[in-house]
Amino acid sequence: MTSYLLTFPVRKLAVKWKVMDYPELRKIHTQITPRMGGVSIFAGTVVGVLYLQPEIPHFWAVYLGATIIMITGLLDDRYQLRPLAKLSGQIVAAALLLFSGLLIENITIPLFGMIHLNLFFSALITFFWIIGITNAINLIDGLDGLATGVSTIALISITIMAFIDSQIAVVLLCFALIGSNLGFLIHNFFPAKIYMGDTGSLFLGYSVAVLSMLGLFKSLTFFSFVIPILVLAVPIFDTLFSIIRRLINKRPVMEADNQHIHYQLIATGFSHRTTVLIIYLFSAVFGALAILFSYTPFLLTLGITVFVVFILHLFAEMTGVVKGGKKPVIDTVKSTAKAVKKEKKQ
């Protein structure tokens, strides 16, 4: 409720400060739209945390890091920071967590078992996880309500697994973020009246990264390293495939393009709203698979693994990194559908 109500004055403030998102060739929207909506997501989360009062370790480091991330995003929305300046804010936030002792200390990899990391590798993996997920959510923020919904679905998956594992503090933190997201989503879903901007996408990416560390990497299940990746599969693999695609095409890795999965779906003819709902479905499927990986027998997980690989291949085709941009599975499905329709007409 707080984020929903705060979005009204934040929107007016964004217009007054001229923190606006302007249409351009690479973007889908055609209207000048206020950004900076992440301020209301951040404020709503803070109010939720103060009300629920979850007792988590490293609380002040997490809180200060989130504040630094939010301010970095806000400055970028207002002044269009250079990539290095924006990255610097993320590094400071990540460093706070590292120095507080919040680290990924163990990972469990199938067939290898649990691997205990020394301090160097623990800090390295933790650092890249925080920076990577923060930017992955930022990169997927390309359509109305997309990053808000995808991060909410990931948070719901984390909530379920944290609840099953009796990690109540993580559950309460997730509740605060989910409630804040949903309040903002009312304004942000297509057609959006306001965008979250980097203020919101960086804050959400950072928050999801931290909560996955608190709630998922602490798990001792056989697939504890796979589970966080599955929960965040859509932003992670969209980012990964973007990097691969740019390398294949010999383009700068940091160069923005319009070949992310959401742009590809729109290019195939889906509407803006339908595209967002399809990606929501992808996120929900991966979230459900993550939960199944955690609590099902090993033999059943093998079948799930095959299904996951198939979905990832489909995902890769949509983002243009399979066989020079060809789409064998999608083309087969389309031709089969056309054949079925033709038979029905006859």
Side-chain angles (χ1 to χ4, degrees), residues 45 66 134 155 177 202-212:
T45 304
T134 298
L155 287 165
L177 272 163
L202 292 179
F203 169 67
L204 284 178
Y206 169 86
S207 300
V208 172
V210 170
L211 282 167
S212 66

Side-chain angles (χ1 to χ4, degrees), residues 230-287:
L230 272 181
V231 168
L232 298 161
V234 169
I236 286 175
F237 285 101
D238 185 52
T239 301
L240 178 62
F241 292 151
S242 295
I243 293 171
I244 295 171
R245 180 178 61 247
R246 290 162 190 168
L247 290 173
I248 291 173
N249 295 327
K250 298 180 180 179
R251 297 176 61 182
V253 171
M254 299 300 293
E255 182 182 76
D257 61 32
N258 59 354
Q259 290 186 289
H260 291 278
I261 184 171
H262 42 281
Y263 295 129
Q264 294 297 317
L265 287 171
I266 285 179
T268 60
F270 290 107
S271 69
H272 193 127
R273 185 188 297 265
T274 302
T275 296
V276 172
L277 293 175
I278 288 172
I279 299 176
Y280 282 1
L281 180 61
F282 265 110
S283 300
V285 168
F286 280 119

Side-chain angles (χ1 to χ4, degrees), residues 31-344:
Q31 302 292 326
I32 299 174
T33 308
R35 51 195 306 174
M36 201 175 85
V39 171
S40 58
I41 297 176
F42 177 79
T45 304
V46 170
V47 171
V49 169
L50 290 174
Y51 176 75
L52 296 171
Q53 296 186 351
E55 297 180 2
I56 64 166
H58 319 284
F59 176 81
W60 285 109
V62 171
Y63 175 77
L64 288 174
T67 303
I68 290 169
I69 284 286
M70 187 277 294
I71 293 172
T72 300
L74 183 58
L75 290 172
D76 186 53
D77 286 337
R78 179 66 179 87
Y79 299 107
Q80 298 296 299
L81 299 178
R82 293 182 178 181
L84 185 58
K86 189 162 66 171
L87 180 61
S88 297
Q90 299 171 38
I91 291 172
V92 172
L96 277 173
L97 295 179
L98 296 179
F99 285 116
S100 75
L102 181 56
L103 300 167
I104 299 171
E105 298 173 331
N106 303 291
I107 57 173
T108 306
I109 302 176
L111 305 180
F112 292 93
M114 178 180 285
I115 300 174
H116 180 73
L117 303 171
N118 62 32
L119 182 60
F120 174 78
F121 284 106
S122 181
L124 191 66
I125 290 175
T126 302
F127 176 81
F128 281 109
W129 178 258
I130 295 167
I131 299 297
I133 299 304
T134 298
N135 284 285
I137 298 295
N138 180 242
L139 287 173
I140 205 171
D141 184 28
L143 297 180
D144 298 2
L146 183 56
T148 317
V150 167
S151 57
T152 299
I153 292 167
L155 287 165
I156 290 171
S157 302
I158 294 172
T159 302
I160 292 170
M161 286 183 276
F163 180 79
I164 293 172
D165 290 340
S166 300
Q167 300 184 61
I168 303 305
V170 175
V171 171
L172 294 177
L173 277 173
C174 286
F175 279 168
L177 272 163
I178 291 169
S180 190
N181 264 1
L182 292 177
F184 178 73
L185 186 59
I186 296 171
H187 300 273
N188 185 232
F189 196 71
F190 183 82
K193 300 177 183 68
I194 185 172
Y195 297 143
M196 68 169 66
D198 280 7
T199 312
S201 60
L202 292 179
F203 169 67
L204 284 178
Y206 169 86
S207 300
V208 172
V210 170
L211 282 167
S212 66
M213 287 170 57
L214 292 171
L216 301 181
F217 278 107
K218 300 295 182 183
S219 171
L220 297 178
T221 65
F222 189 65
F223 289 98
S224 68
F225 184 65
V226 177
I227 292 165
I229 295 174
L230 272 181
V231 168
L232 298 161
V234 169
I236 286 175
F237 285 101
D238 185 52
T239 301
L240 178 62
F241 292 151
S242 295
I243 293 171
I244 295 171
R245 180 178 61 247
R246 290 162 190 168
L247 290 173
I248 291 173
N249 295 327
K250 298 180 180 179
R251 297 176 61 182
V253 171
M254 299 300 293
E255 182 182 76
D257 61 32
N258 59 354
Q259 290 186 289
H260 291 278
I261 184 171
H262 42 281
Y263 295 129
Q264 294 297 317
L265 287 171
I266 285 179
T268 60
F270 290 107
S271 69
H272 193 127
R273 185 188 297 265
T274 302
T275 296
V276 172
L277 293 175
I278 288 172
I279 299 176
Y280 282 1
L281 180 61
F282 265 110
S283 300
V285 168
F286 280 119
L289 289 173
I291 296 169
L292 288 174
F293 261 85
S294 299
Y295 306 107
T296 54
F298 177 71
L299 289 178
L300 182 57
T301 61
L302 293 179
I304 296 172
T305 301
V306 174
F307 185 56
V308 169
V309 171
F310 173 76
I311 294 177
L312 287 177
H313 179 83
L314 199 63
F315 201 95
E317 286 191 13
M318 290 179 181
T319 53
V321 299
V322 176
K323 293 185 177 179
K326 295 182 180 179
K327 303 176 180 179
V329 174
I330 294 175
D331 291 341
T332 300
V333 171
K334 285 183 178 179
S335 61
T336 303
K338 287 181 182 178
V340 170
K341 285 183 180 179
K342 189 175 181 180
E343 286 183 7
K344 285 183 177 180

